[in-house]
Amino acid sequence: MKTNIRFTHQELVEKSKLGDRNSQFQLYEQYVDAMYNVSMRMLCSKEDAEDTVQDSFVEAFKNLGNFRYESTFGSWLKRIVINKSINHLKLKRIPLVPIIDHEYHLTEEPIENIKDIDIEKVKRGIKQLPPGYQQIIHLYLIEGYDHEEIGEVLEISKSTSKSQYHRAKKKLLEIIKEM
Amino acid sequence: MDYFEKHIRDNKALFDEHKADRSKMWAKIESELSNTNPKVVPLWKSPLFRVAASIVLVLLLSILIGITVYGGQQSGSQNNVVSQELLDIDMHYSNLVQHQVQLVKNHPDLSQEDKNEFLSFMDELDEEYGVLKLEMEKNLGNERVLEAIIGNYKKRIELIENLLRQINDSKMINDDYGYTL
């Protein structure tokens, strides 16, 4: 079953590999909103997100020959969008990870669980977080990346990703609680 | 995964709150894709091209070696022709000069002093000829050297001819005088 998911849109992907513009457009239609939202969450700028998503689709279609169905086309494309968004943040010198010293916090303090959280509050709460915390919350909670993948994307260790996520989540819950 | 995380992930679709300007973005993507040069497959990756390139390389090398060797031979034979030509000229003039020098030496009406003076001129011209010949060996293609060698011979012949004419003239005057008497 899992194998079948990887081959989602296989026909469109294969035709797009051959340069079929109509198939490329159909793939674009399928994924553009999702990719735009990924980039918007990271960059918080309409223009930057549009540029990033456009570049990502162009790169994806140009390098589609390298896509070997090791993941779904959507995951492959999302990785391109996330990498381009991260590069954009680097160019703007926006910190990807909080500058707070984190290496000496070896234990995670327990976080009080909150039930029946309003998603709108979560969205607003995330926007109030420092940029570095926002990225890690987006990548882990919304994009569904594990700490190993986050480590690769942000060029940090798995343990740093874990500790930063823990702190970010704690901070987010505090903000939500105060709303 | 705690309740909070599960709750967020279950509702992650709610985080997709933005709508892309689809037509505007596609127009740019399509334009970028259209501007892209067609994918170039490097020729050297094709095995056929590698074979063809090898053949061309071998042919080029053969031609180069051929030109070097054959060209060298041709140049050698050209040098031989020039050298032979020079040898023939040298032989011709040398014989001519030797013959005339011998005539001067054997001439009964010339005093020993005149003969010595003449031969010392010839020795100087011989030395000059030696230098020119060495120069000619170094540079066979130098026409000026060749001309100088021929000039050297002509000067010697001219000298001898002048001398012999003078001798004959004086002989004729004496004869006329005798005839008048």
Side-chain angles (χ1 to χ4, degrees), chain B residues 7-139:
Chain B
H7 181 62
I8 301 285
R9 285 188 177 174
D10 287 346
N11 292 284
K12 68 178 181 185
L14 295 173
F15 286 85
D16 285 355
E17 51 191 347
H18 304 284
K19 281 275 173 195
D21 188 342
R22 292 178 172 224
S23 53
K24 178 184 140 192
M25 287 169 69
W26 175 251
K28 288 190 179 171
I29 292 166
E30 199 177 21
S31 145
E32 281 280 320
L33 290 172
S34 302
N35 287 339
T36 310
N37 293 330
K39 197 176 178 183
V40 176
V41 179
L43 272 176
W44 52 266
K45 280 194 176 173
S46 150
L48 197 67
F49 177 77
R50 286 186 193 175
V51 173
S54 305
I55 292 168
V56 170
L57 190 69
V58 168
L59 278 174
L60 280 174
L61 280 172
S62 308
I63 291 167
L64 197 70
I65 291 165
I67 286 171
T68 313
V69 173
Y70 184 68
Q73 279 175 354
Q74 261 200 334
S75 157
S77 64
Q78 204 173 4
N79 285 348
N80 287 341
V81 169
V82 174
S83 186
Q84 188 57 47
E85 193 182 355
L86 180 67
L87 208 66
D88 290 346
I89 293 167
D90 193 65
M91 190 78 87
H92 168 74
Y93 284 108
S94 176
N95 288 340
L96 204 63
V97 169
Q98 268 182 9
H99 172 70
Q100 290 187 325
V101 167
Q102 205 55 45
L103 278 176
V104 171
K105 277 182 178 173
N106 296 337
H107 205 288
D109 297 333
L110 269 175
S111 66
Q112 194 55 44
E113 199 180 329
D114 289 338
K115 284 180 185 174
N116 287 343
E117 193 185 349
F118 165 76
L119 289 172
S120 74
F121 271 123
M122 294 307 285
D123 287 344
E124 277 177 33
L125 286 166
D126 270 345
E127 278 175 30
E128 188 190 292
Y129 170 78
V131 173
L132 286 168
K133 207 169 177 182
L134 280 174
E135 191 63 36
M136 196 67 194
E137 281 168 11
K138 280 187 213 161
N139 190 0

Side-chain angles (χ1 to χ4, degrees), chain A residues 21 25 28-29 33 36-37 40-41 50 53-54 62 114 117 122-123 140-142 165 169, chain B residues 2-5 7-9 12 14-20 22 24-26 28-29 36:
Chain A
R21 191 69 83 237
F25 179 68
Y28 166 79
E29 285 279 295
D33 279 332
Y36 181 67
N37 275 286
M40 270 299 285
R41 281 193 286 272
E50 279 182 357
V53 172
Q54 282 162 202
K62 280 182 182 173
I114 309 170
I117 302 167
V122 176
K123 284 186 202 171
Y140 187 83
L141 279 183
I142 301 163
Y165 167 70
K169 189 171 88 172
Chain B
D2 61 19
Y3 174 81
F4 172 72
E5 289 167 349
H7 181 62
I8 301 285
R9 285 188 177 174
K12 68 178 181 185
L14 295 173
F15 286 85
D16 285 355
E17 51 191 347
H18 304 284
K19 281 275 173 195
R22 292 178 172 224
K24 178 184 140 192
M25 287 169 69
W26 175 251
K28 288 190 179 171
I29 292 166
T36 310

Side-chain angles (χ1 to χ4, degrees), chain A residues 18 25 30 32 36 43-44 47 50 57 60 76 81 94-95 99-100 102 133 137-138 142 159 163 175 178-179:
Chain A
L18 300 171
F25 179 68
Q30 290 277 343
V32 65
Y36 181 67
L43 302 176
C44 307
E47 289 75 25
E50 279 182 357
F57 270 103
W76 184 73
V81 173
I94 295 171
I99 303 159
I100 308 160
H102 51 79
Y133 279 165
I137 287 287
H138 282 141
I142 301 163
S159 60
S163 65
I175 292 168
E178 286 168 12
M179 282 179 176

